[in-house]
């Protein structure tokens, strides 16, 4: 796919109080999501990364994540099937409890917000605040659980992925106030989304390797089979 240069920003983008880089970042968001929506193949990951890296060149600031260490995980030496089942169910209940309803994809929220005027779009982006808070609560509640020792490493990977998603989604929600920062979080969001997916693949392997499964009516199913 190609990304055509367009010197005219979308009509809904108000440029008052935005510096040149922020105007470009806002324009980038609008045009990127428009191409993504209209192209059957979308923008390739490599093209997307190149575009974002070019925009953020010499503009990056460090992103702060409150990540958990191995010592933060409360480990249980009980490795019975019942304890592992209980762990899966507890994690599923945390996901269910903290998932905003009705479910909406973060990028769909962002894309729709960019079609609105600034005031209405900013209100739409408040949904991202709820999504970010949901991930943050999942991280906080998950790290408080007692975890089978054999699941400690994958558990920490899930918790830290939750934390990264919370920070990135909250940062994307600042598009109207700090578009450049939002664009940086947008870039990191994609990378961390893959990390989260990988963490859930390891969760599924962990349970399937022990011949443990959950029915769709069981809270553990959300954690093991469908993830977030």
């Amino acid at each position: 796919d190609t990304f055509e240069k367009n010197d005219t920003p979308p009509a809904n983008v108000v440029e008052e109080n935005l510096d040149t880089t922020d105007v470009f970042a806002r324009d980038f968001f609008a045009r990127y999501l428009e191409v993504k929506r209209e192209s059957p193949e979308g923008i390739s990951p490599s093209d997307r990364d190149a575009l974002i890296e070019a925009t953020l060149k010499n503009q990056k600031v460090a992103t702060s994540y409150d990540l958990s260490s191995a010592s933060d995980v409360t480990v249980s030496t009980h490795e019975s099937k019942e304890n592992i089942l209980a762990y899966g169910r507890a994690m599923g209940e945390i996901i269910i409890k903290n998932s905003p309803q009705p479910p909406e994809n973060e990028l769909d929220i962002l894309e729709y917000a960019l079609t609105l005027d600034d005031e209405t779009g900013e209100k739409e982006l408040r949904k991202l605040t709820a999504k970010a808070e949901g991930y943050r609560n999942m991280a906080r509640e998950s790290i408080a659980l007692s975890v089978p020792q054999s699941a400690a490493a994958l558990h920490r990977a899930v918790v830290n992925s939750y934390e990264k998603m919370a920070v990135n989604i909250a940062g994307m929600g600042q598009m109207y106030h700090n578009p450049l920062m939002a664009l940086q979080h947008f870039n990191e969001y994609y990378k961390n989304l893959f990390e989260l997916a990988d963490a859930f693949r390891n969760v599924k392997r962990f349970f399937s390797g022990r011949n443990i499964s959950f029915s769709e009516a069981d809270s553990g199913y959300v954690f093991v089979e469908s993830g977030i």
Side-chain angles (χ1 to χ4, degrees), residues 8-211:
T8 304
N12 63 299
V13 174
V14 177
E15 299 186 14
E16 294 179 4
N17 301 319
L18 295 178
D19 63 26
T20 303
T21 307
D22 282 347
V23 170
F24 180 80
R26 287 270 294 269
D27 189 23
F28 173 91
F29 265 124
R31 288 188 282 133
Y32 168 81
L33 290 170
E34 180 180 1
V35 171
K36 178 178 177 291
R37 182 178 63 250
E38 294 179 355
S39 172
E41 297 82 16
I43 298 176
S44 71
S46 59
D47 286 345
R48 181 197 69 230
D49 291 345
L51 286 165
I52 296 175
E53 289 296 330
T55 307
L56 294 175
K57 187 178 182 180
N58 300 323
Q59 299 288 339
K60 289 187 177 181
V61 295
T63 300
S64 177
Y65 299 115
D66 184 17
L67 301 182
S68 299
S69 65
S71 61
D72 293 321
V73 180
T74 302
V75 174
S76 169
T77 57
H78 298 292
E79 295 281 342
S80 67
K81 180 177 181 179
E82 290 72 23
N83 285 335
I84 294 175
L85 280 167
Y87 165 66
R89 286 169 179 147
M91 289 295 285
E93 288 167 4
I94 288 172
I95 293 174
I96 293 167
K97 173 185 174 184
N98 293 292
S99 297
Q101 297 297 326
E104 286 187 84
N105 179 273
E106 297 89 27
L107 296 183
D108 289 341
I109 294 171
L110 182 61
E111 182 175 358
Y112 179 58
L114 285 164
T115 68
L116 307 171
D117 63 82
D118 282 12
E119 182 178 357
T120 308
E122 189 169 355
K123 290 180 180 178
E124 178 69 14
L125 287 180
R126 290 174 189 168
K127 293 179 181 179
L128 293 182
T129 302
K131 294 277 289 187
E133 190 62 24
Y135 275 110
R136 189 163 286 112
N137 288 339
M138 283 189 274
R140 177 176 53 81
E141 294 175 20
S142 296
I143 201 63
L145 291 179
S146 178
V147 181
Q149 189 169 19
S150 56
L154 68 85
H155 182 76
R156 185 162 68 95
V158 170
V159 170
N160 284 338
S161 291
Y162 285 162
E163 164 64 16
K164 290 179 180 180
M165 293 294 285
V167 172
N168 295 153
I169 293 170
M172 286 160 56
Q174 296 300 307
M175 190 265 292
Y176 282 95
H177 297 285
N178 191 333
L180 186 61
M181 181 188 75
L183 181 55
Q184 180 173 326
H185 282 289
F186 177 72
N187 188 32
E188 294 188 13
Y189 165 86
Y190 269 100
K191 296 174 183 177
N192 293 326
L193 189 63
F194 285 116
E195 285 187 16
L196 181 60
D198 189 53
F200 274 120
R201 279 192 291 270
N202 288 333
V203 167
K204 186 173 178 64
R205 291 189 194 104
F206 173 80
F207 282 89
S208 63
R210 289 158 176 76
N211 294 316

